[in-house]
């Protein structure tokens, strides 16, 4: 089995379910973790799923992933639009990076239209609420060349 995929979540995503459900949906972060882990399993992949409100912690986890992860799925939340520290950590992460957002920041306020994460990401998934994490697993499985066999075997 390859190293786990790190799925990292930024500030206030711990409040999902009750935080602006009309924008972010009704799934809680625990629901999203379950959905993502279950889907990863269909490819024979494991995930490490975490959330932090602290920029330095996010940088530490991205750095940890350089050694321990086979790829990164990142919803950096507001850090997306502000954090050069996160951007620099991503530049030093030389495996696939998929940026995910529950909402579509491109059709929201002007300040959400710029993403530091996009400058370092392999690809970006916007606006599909919690299904975006499932789509990111599909994309990651292709990028790291895993799963086609497992999937065939389990069908
Ligand atoms: C978000 C979009 C960001 O602009 C916002 O700051 C978030 C959530 C999303 O998943 O849609 O906290 O990353």
């Amino acid at each position: 089995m390859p190293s786990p995929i790190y799925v990292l979540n930024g500030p206030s995503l711990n409040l999902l379910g009750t935080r602006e459900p009309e924008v972010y949906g009704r799934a809680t972060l625990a629901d999203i973790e379950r959905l993502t882990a279950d889907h990863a399993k269909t490819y024979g992949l494991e995930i490490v799923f975490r959330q932090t409100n602290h920029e330095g912690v996010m940088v530490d986890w991205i750095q940890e992933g350089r050694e321990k992860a086979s790829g990164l799925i990142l919803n950096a939340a507001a850090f997306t639009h502000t954090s050069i520290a996160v951007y620099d950590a991503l530049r030093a992460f030389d495996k696939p990076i998929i940026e995910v957002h529950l909402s579509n920041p491109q059709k929201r306020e002007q300040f959400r239209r710029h993403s530091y994460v996009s400058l370092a990401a392999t690809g970006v998934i916007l606006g599909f609420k919690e299904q975006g994490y499932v789509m990111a697993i599909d994309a990651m499985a292709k990028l790291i060349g895993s799963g086609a066999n497992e999937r065939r075997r389990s069908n």
Side-chain angles (χ1 to χ4, degrees):
M1 192 181 277
S3 307
I5 297 165
Y6 273 34
V7 184
L8 302 181
N9 297 279
S12 296
L13 294 175
N14 54 314
L15 301 179
L16 288 176
T18 54
R19 175 193 181 203
E20 299 184 83
E22 64 293 348
V23 178
Y24 298 118
R26 296 209 172 268
T28 65
L29 197 61
D31 294 335
I32 294 176
E33 177 172 5
R34 219 173 304 116
L35 191 68
T36 309
D38 286 352
H39 196 61
K41 242 184 244 153
T42 68
Y43 289 102
L45 294 170
E46 263 179 3
I47 64 165
V48 167
F49 192 98
R50 297 181 189 157
Q51 186 275 332
T52 181
N53 292 330
H54 304 279
E55 187 176 15
V57 172
M58 181 62 86
V59 169
D60 287 344
W61 288 347
I62 294 166
Q63 290 184 5
E64 180 188 305
R66 297 173 78 215
E67 304 294 327
K68 297 193 176 160
S70 58
L72 173 62
I73 295 171
L74 178 62
N75 184 349
F79 296 152
T80 305
H81 317 297
T82 62
S83 180
I84 297 170
V86 167
Y87 170 61
D88 280 345
L90 293 174
R91 283 183 60 99
F93 183 92
D94 62 0
K95 286 167 270 194
I97 299 168
I98 301 179
E99 176 181 4
V100 173
H101 297 283
L102 297 150
S103 66
N104 178 358
Q106 295 300 320
K107 66 172 190 194
R108 299 179 62 195
E109 302 94 326
Q110 184 68 38
F111 64 81
R112 293 185 204 277
R113 295 199 191 146
H114 177 262
S115 166
Y116 286 104
V117 173
S118 290
L119 297 175
T122 313
V124 182
I125 297 171
L126 306 177
F128 295 98
K129 306 250 165 74
E130 67 274 14
Q131 283 305 315
Y133 287 72
V134 171
M135 296 160 82
I137 291 290
D138 287 335
M140 187 62 79
K142 283 221 168 61
L143 288 168
I144 66 179
S146 178
N149 294 333
E150 269 86 354
R151 181 154 264 200
R152 248 176 257 128
R153 253 181 264 130
S154 67
N155 278 346

